[in-house]
Each structure stands twice: as C-alpha cells, then as structure tokens.
Amino acid sequence: MSKMNNVSKSKLHGLWALTNRELKKWYKTPVVFILTLLQPIIWLGLLGNALNLGSLVGSSSLTIPPQVITELQLTPAQITVLQGFFSNIGDTIMQGTFGTTSYISFMAVGMIAFTALFTTMFSGMSVVWDRRLGFLNKALSTPVSRAVIILSKVLSATLRSIFQASIILIIAVPLGFQFGAAFTAVNILGVFAFLFLICMGLSSLFIAINIRSTRIETPMAVMNLLNLPLTFASSAFFPIEQMPGWLQAVATINPLSYTMNGMRQLLINSSIDYSQLALQYAYVGLFALVLTTVGIVLSWRFLNK
Amino acid sequence: MSNNAIEAEALTKVFNGSLVAVDHIDFSVRNGEIFGFLGPNGAGKTTTINMLITVLKPTEGKASILGYDIAKQNTQVRYSIGVVPQEYTADEDLTGYENILLCADLYGIQREVSKKRASELLELVELTAFKDKKVQTYSGGMRRRLELACGLINRPKVLFLDEPTLGLDVQTRAATWNYIKMLKKEFGMTLFMTTHYLEEADALCDRIAIIDHGKIIVVGSPTELKDSLGGDIITVAIKEDVDITELVERINHVKEVKKENGSYRIKSENGEITAPLIIESLRKEGHVVTRLSLTKPTLNEVYLQYTGKSMRDAEESGDSLYAKRMIMARRRH
C-alpha cells in the first residue's frame, strides 16, 4: 500500500513543513503579527525618546554664562571659539560613551537584540504547548527526525527575529536613527548573520530548558527570571564600560552584549574595528555552536525516552 | 512474516525507575483485525500505545509491527503505522487542508501525491466543504475526523486509535464507529484501539484485551469473554409453590439453577433457545409460568468481574489530569 518511491528519504524532510507551521501561526494571525511589530515600535518610540541622553548633555544646555564673559573680558572671537567647544561637548561625550551621537540609534540596535531574545523565549515555550496538545507525540510517531523537530523551532524563531529586526531598522529611521559613517548596505547582511547566530544559540537554550516540562508555568517562571538580567546586564541600553564592576563581569560574558556591540559596529559606529568584529563573531558563533549542539543532544535524549 | 500485525513479548515500561506502567505484557494482533485495549484509567493503555508507535522506548521486552522491531527498526515501523491520538493535535491556526498536508510532509510524501490523497481523505471523512476553514472553527466531531484523516495520510497498514470517541456526542460516536468498521472492511487495515467504553469495544473489536495495573488480565473475542462468565441468565417464576430445581436442571444447556426470593435464577448457554424449552417442560408438568426474563451478560459484567469495582480516578497522575483538564477547557470553546 505505502509506496516508498513517493517518499523523500532526506534526513531533513519535514524541516520546512514544521518551520512553516510555526511561521504560519504568526503571519496568518493578524493580531499576533501586528502586535509583534507594535512592540518594538512602542519600545523605541517610548524609551528611545524618553531616555534621550543626547539632549541631556547636548549643546542647548551649555552656554557661556555672562559673568564669565565679563570677568575674563573675552573678545567676540574667543567667545565663538569657546561656544563652539561647549556645543561640541555633548556630542563628544555621546560619541565617547555610545559610539554615536544619537542615543536612539544606540538603543535601536539594543532593541533588535532584545526582540531576538523575546522571540526565541516564546519559541522555546511553544515546545511545552506542542507536548501538552499532543502534537509532539504525534510528530514523534512519524518518520520525521527528532533533530528536525527541534531545528524547526530554532529556524522559525531565527527567521522571525530577522524579519522583526528589519522592521525595527526601517521604523527607527524616521524616529531619528543615524547610520554610522562606516555603514554600507552589505553590513545589513552582517547584522543578519549576528542575528542568525544569536537566535540559534538562544532558542536552543530555551528549548533545552523547556523540553521536559509538561506544564507551562515552569518555563514562564524561568523565562521571567532570565529575561531582565539578560537584557540589563548587557549593552542594550547602556555601554558596559559605565557599569559597576560586578555587573560588568556579567555583561562581558553575556553573548547578547557581543551581538549588540558587533551590530553597532556594522550599523552606527563611525569606523569598524575589524579585529573586534572578528572576536564578536567568534564569540557569538561559539555560543551558537555549543548551545545548538547541547540543545539538540538534550532534546534527542528526552524525546527518545 | 507471520500472520500477526503486532506482536508483543514481555513488553514493559518503568517510569523513573520505580513506577511500573506496563508490566511484562504479551499479546498479538492478527492481520486485519480490530483489537481493543480495555482498562480503567491509569491501567497502562496509553503507555502501551506510545511504545508501539515508537514514542516511548520499552524498558524491557520487545514488540514488533509487521515484523519490524519497534526499538531497532523504528523508521520502518513509523512508515507503516498511522496514529490517531487521544488529543486534538491539529493546529487551530491552520486550515484542515493545511493540517493534512503538514502530516503528509512529516512522512516526506511528495506534494503532488499528498495533495491528491488529502482531497480523497477529506472526502472520506466528509470535510471537503470545510477544508479551507481554520480548525478553530471546527466542532469536536469534525476535529476528530480530521485527526483520522491525518492518521491515514501515509496509507498505514496498522492504525492506532487512542480513545477515538472520548468526549464525542452519540451521533458523532456512531459515525466514528462506521469509519472504523469501513477501514477494516474496505482497506483490510489492522486497527489497534484503546477505549474505556465497553459498548464500543463490544460493537467494534474482533478481540479485546483487558488490562489493569499494567498487566493483561484476559484476552478474547467479546463473545468468548461474555461466555466465560457462564452464559445467559434466565429468571423464571411459577404460580405453584413447588421446587422445580431438579426439573429445570435436566433441561439441555442449563448449567446452574438457584432459588432466589420465590423465583429461579437459571444460568444457561444460548438463553434464547433454552428459555422456550424451560417453558415447555414446565407446562408439560402442569406448572403455570407467571414471569420469565432473559439477560445476556454484557462486557460490563466481564469488565467488572476482571478489574473489580473500585473507582480509579485517584490513580491518575497529576500531569495527565492536568492535560485532560486542558483538553476539556479547549473543547468548551
């Protein structure tokens, strides 16, 4: 009855079908789709503008007081030079701290990584739903490979993150995002590469955490515990160098920091330090490799009970 | 290959090193028969199915499906079986048609083949009109039919059904029974099903295994099992106040006669034949029969005889209870 010649024997068969299943749930449900787009807009619009550190230290707040001019008997020429110096102080501080004069540009890149974190967390939780609703068992009774079941989750989260990152970038431009001097269109591919690696790693991590849970409450608690430290102990909102020592220690090993710093080099910095960039790719790449391997090995074990 | 579609030998599953869910069970399912697994909650039915469909690994013992070992040749097993799970596993956000194609993709069936089969199967389970509607708009019966269609997409030789009519209304249950009978008749499929509805097992299954506490207690056809209780029960009352025990005992087929509250409780094989004989014999002796009733034993009696009468709900694990509640909650929508 079952004719084997109608059947694909590739190890990866079903990968796209399962990935597409996850993606369809997202793009075919308008509410979910719009909400995932709205979230970064709100974050960027609200936080990016509310925390506008640029205007805090910007030129408008720094003028030479009249007493100083009379006291030092400054000539108009000297005043212009000094005024010029003062109005550049803000930009100099911003450039030195954030690598760009525009805080919203700095934060937009943080938002991209942050969105990747959230998307992968939810994809990790969807394993629990699949188990709950019996889909996992059903898939396990078919010839589809166990690794493919896991990889499809990883892949769908990655694709979603890349799409959302592009949206964030597009939205950020009218909100004041400034590309750095070193930016070329090719750098976008470099950003996607960073996102691909970090999403592979993170989503494998979250799937491995959730693979044994049969109830949704456990992963929710774990995710809540992890998400704020991962976000704030990173360079999402603030450069690591300005953090207290203990936080710096956490942030320096946080792969999200490497991802964001790397993406900032590609997008907003005035020049690219290629040895740093190589290090950032290597770190995030290693993170992805190790966690994807661990995730798949663990999942394999638990799916083959 | 033998005549058996499924063979299990000392099949055992122990969870967490101590909880024995299935305890050295042996059974075989013949090619082309409907085999029912009957037992109280927590008896080990679903665990057994999960081992046979290669989702769980047996702790001990072995089993084979169509001659393929479930542990060593699980890929071959997976290609030759279909599974209709207890839960509604179809994706609510996708349409019925998309769900069937997804199942086909899991078997690596080529698209042009799977499209044709999906249409045929949708026709078979009478969902063609709804194929492009999202599954969240389906009723319970429609979803059950969709699960059935998904389970058939790879044209399995052996189909596993886990509680196929759980929570369905009477009409849908009857329709599901018809589908199951048709699969056996039209396609010569072997069906393995679990149920705790006794009338379902009685109506559908060629043979039944009653399982409790992880062990198979008895295997046989519904008729054999019912007969094992000692046959039908005929209750007779006569007008006269005389003992007719000896008289009745001499009648063909009668196995046992007991006087109870002024009437006689007679155990006999083939009750329909024996009852007229009893009336005739009593008349010949001049007795007037005032009342006669015939009771055929049902699987209910068989089941209770073998599994005892206590309720088992308390033995269900927290997780499976929680899962059931989730299913209920989903169904209420």
Side-chain angles (χ1 to χ4, degrees):
Chain A
M1 279 228 293
S2 62
K3 287 188 187 63
M4 289 299 190
N5 54 358
N6 284 334
V7 154
S8 142
K9 278 291 170 66
S10 153
K11 279 264 178 236
L12 288 178
H13 79 75
L15 177 62
W16 176 243
L18 284 171
T19 307
N20 201 23
R21 164 179 178 259
E22 306 276 336
L23 292 176
K24 268 184 184 166
K25 287 174 157 200
W26 167 59
Y27 68 75
K28 283 212 163 180
T29 317
V31 181
V32 177
F33 188 68
I34 291 168
L35 281 179
T36 49
L37 291 185
L38 267 179
Q39 186 222 18
I41 301 178
I42 292 172
W43 275 81
L44 257 185
L46 274 179
L47 271 178
N49 287 320
L51 295 178
N52 196 347
L53 300 180
S55 72
L56 214 64
V57 293
S59 50
S60 58
S61 57
L62 286 168
T63 45
I64 307 166
Q67 312 93 284
V68 176
I69 298 173
T70 41
E71 196 84 8
L72 294 176
Q73 296 178 329
L74 293 172
T75 64
Q78 286 171 318
I79 291 173
T80 317
V81 170
L82 266 181
Q83 190 66 59
F85 169 72
F86 276 122
S87 51
N88 276 331
I89 268 187
D91 283 354
T92 315
I93 293 173
M94 286 300 287
Q95 187 72 44
T97 317
F98 295 108
T100 172
T101 51
S102 138
Y103 180 68
I104 199 162
S105 308
F106 181 86
M107 205 188 101
V109 179
M111 282 311 307
I112 291 174
F114 192 57
T115 309
L117 176 68
F118 263 80
T119 309
T120 49
M121 269 184 183
F122 283 111
S123 87
M125 275 196 252
S126 73
V127 175
V128 184
W129 281 113
D130 280 356
R131 180 184 289 282
R132 268 265 111 96
L133 303 177
F135 181 83
L136 190 63
N137 260 12
K138 192 180 164 70
L140 288 175
S141 75
T142 71
V144 77
S145 146
R146 271 71 184 136
V148 160
I149 296 176
I150 301 306
L151 273 177
S152 69
K153 298 251 174 226
V154 174
L155 199 60
S156 65
T158 307
L159 291 176
R160 274 175 66 164
S161 299
I162 287 180
F163 178 82
Q164 284 174 310
S166 315
I167 296 291
I168 293 174
L169 274 182
I170 292 167
I171 291 163
V173 172
L175 288 174
F177 187 89
Q178 287 159 15
F179 287 104
F183 176 79
T184 60
V186 187
N187 291 7
I188 293 280
L189 294 179
V191 170
F192 288 167
F194 266 122
L195 279 174
F196 182 80
L197 293 174
I198 191 77
C199 287
M200 290 285 285
L202 285 174
S203 93
S204 304
L205 169 71
F206 294 130
I207 288 167
I209 290 174
N210 291 327
I211 193 84
R212 286 199 70 181
S213 313
T214 46
R215 40 185 63 227
I216 200 82
E217 290 84 351
T218 323
M220 291 263 244
V222 176
M223 298 302 138
N224 273 332
L225 188 73
L226 282 178
N227 96 56
L228 284 183
L230 271 176
T231 311
F232 286 99
S234 79
S235 56
F237 301 105
F238 215 64
I240 297 173
E241 297 76 38
Q242 312 294 324
M243 293 176 181
W246 61 271
L247 195 58
Q248 257 189 39
V250 183
T252 349
I253 56 163
N254 188 344
L256 279 171
S257 301
Y258 286 82
T259 312
M260 291 182 226
N261 294 344
M263 291 196 293
R264 284 190 182 119
Q265 287 220 59
L266 292 168
L267 290 172
I268 59 173
N269 288 9
S270 48
S271 65
I272 297 176
D273 179 343
Y274 284 98
S275 63
Q276 272 296 313
L277 193 64
L279 176 76
Q280 282 148 353
Y281 271 121
Y283 190 89
V284 183
L286 192 68
F287 171 76
L289 187 72
V290 169
L291 280 178
T292 310
T293 313
V294 169
I296 286 177
V297 167
L298 277 182
S299 312
W300 196 286
R301 276 194 51 195
F302 290 125
L303 292 181
N304 275 313
K305 265 201 292 189
Chain B
M1 207 166 68
S2 69
N3 280 328
N4 292 333
I6 306 174
E7 274 181 87
E9 248 177 76
L11 195 62
T12 303
K13 183 70 190 179
V14 182
F15 288 112
N16 302 327
S18 59
L19 180 73
V20 185
V22 175
D23 191 1
H24 298 86
I25 58 171
D26 301 279
F27 66 93
S28 55
V29 178
R30 294 171 199 142
N31 265 322
E33 78 174 344
I34 304 182
F35 190 84
F37 237 45
L38 206 62
N41 292 334
K45 301 187 297 278
T46 301
T47 307
T48 307
I49 264 204
N50 281 340
M51 284 193 280
L52 294 175
I53 66 175
T54 74
V55 167
L56 286 177
K57 275 200 175 138
T59 316
E60 251 180 76
K62 58 181 183 179
S64 64
I65 289 172
L66 303 170
Y68 298 123
D69 188 289
I70 56 163
K72 292 180 199 121
Q73 295 167 293
N74 53 25
T75 307
Q76 285 95 325
V77 171
R78 287 170 190 154
Y79 274 114
S80 35
I81 61 168
V83 178
V84 180
Q86 204 179 96
E87 305 91 346
Y88 295 147
T89 61
D91 221 300
E92 292 193 325
D93 302 318
L94 308 185
T95 68
Y97 188 59
E98 286 172 327
N99 266 298
I100 297 189
L101 289 184
L102 172 66
C103 290
D105 287 337
L106 296 182
Y107 288 94
I109 300 169
Q110 282 163 17
R111 204 18 82 88
E112 63 268 33
V113 180
S114 64
K115 276 185 175 167
K116 200 165 149 270
R117 280 193 201 169
S119 304
E120 284 168 13
L121 286 171
L122 283 163
E123 197 65 45
L124 179 83
V125 297
E126 296 161 73
L127 284 177
T128 307
F130 306 94
K131 75 185 184 90
D132 294 321
K133 292 239 169 18
K134 279 193 179 180
V135 171
Q136 54 191 215
T137 65
Y138 282 26
S139 69
M142 287 160 76
R143 297 186 69 161
R144 185 56 70 190
R145 268 139 63 200
L146 182 63
E147 295 294 337
L148 187 62
C150 283
L152 293 171
I153 191 72
N154 61 325
R155 306 216 163 145
K157 292 198 178 77
V158 183
L159 185 68
F160 290 88
L161 301 127
D162 197 1
E163 307 274 1
T165 59
L166 189 73
L168 294 182
D169 60 30
V170 179
Q171 290 88 339
T172 320
R173 184 182 299 181
T176 310
W177 287 9
N178 285 337
Y179 289 128
I180 293 174
K181 283 183 196 156
M182 181 197 62
L183 292 174
K184 172 191 148 102
K185 217 175 128 198
E186 305 277 317
F187 302 104
M189 218 176 262
T190 306
L191 291 104
F192 182 101
M193 58 184 278
T194 68
T195 182
H196 50 221
Y197 295 118
L198 299 149
E199 73 277 19
E200 182 165 292
D202 204 358
L204 293 173
C205 297
D206 298 306
R207 288 193 309 137
I208 293 166
I210 293 181
I211 178 170
D212 196 14
H213 299 297
K215 286 196 158 98
I216 290 185
I217 300 166
V218 64
V219 185
S221 73
T223 321
E224 279 168 10
L225 293 183
K226 284 183 272 188
D227 286 349
S228 72
L229 288 185
D232 307 338
I233 289 156
I234 302 165
T235 316
V236 178
I238 54 168
K239 205 173 179 187
E240 297 80 16
D241 189 16
V242 280
D243 197 326
I244 55 164
T245 310
E246 266 181 52
L247 175 69
V248 178
E249 269 172 351
R250 267 179 278 143
I251 299 167
N252 257 348
H253 305 303
V254 170
K255 286 163 117 188
E256 194 189 296
V257 183
K258 252 193 219 158
K259 198 172 178 190
E260 262 177 15
N261 312 325
S263 61
Y264 296 85
R265 198 177 143 86
I266 304 158
K267 259 194 185 176
S268 153
E269 281 168 15
N270 302 322
E272 325 58 350
I273 299 169
T274 319
L277 290 179
I278 292 173
I279 300 174
E280 214 172 299
S281 319
L282 289 172
R283 276 220 184 120
K284 254 188 213 159
E285 296 296 318
H287 299 301
V288 179
V289 178
T290 51
R291 196 159 51 82
L292 182 140
S293 70
L294 168 66
T295 322
K296 296 226 138 228
T298 64
L299 267 187
N300 262 320
E301 276 96 39
V302 179
Y303 184 78
L304 293 176
Q305 164 106 15
Y306 285 109
T307 62
K309 291 189 180 179
S310 59
M311 298 277 280
R312 292 299 163 73
D313 289 339
E315 285 183 22
E316 255 191 297
S317 72
D319 274 350
S320 77
L321 263 182
Y322 188 87
K324 288 230 169 83
R325 246 182 267 138
M326 299 284 301
I327 294 168
M328 303 290 228
R330 274 163 66 94
R331 277 185 194 156
R332 253 180 254 132
H333 292 309

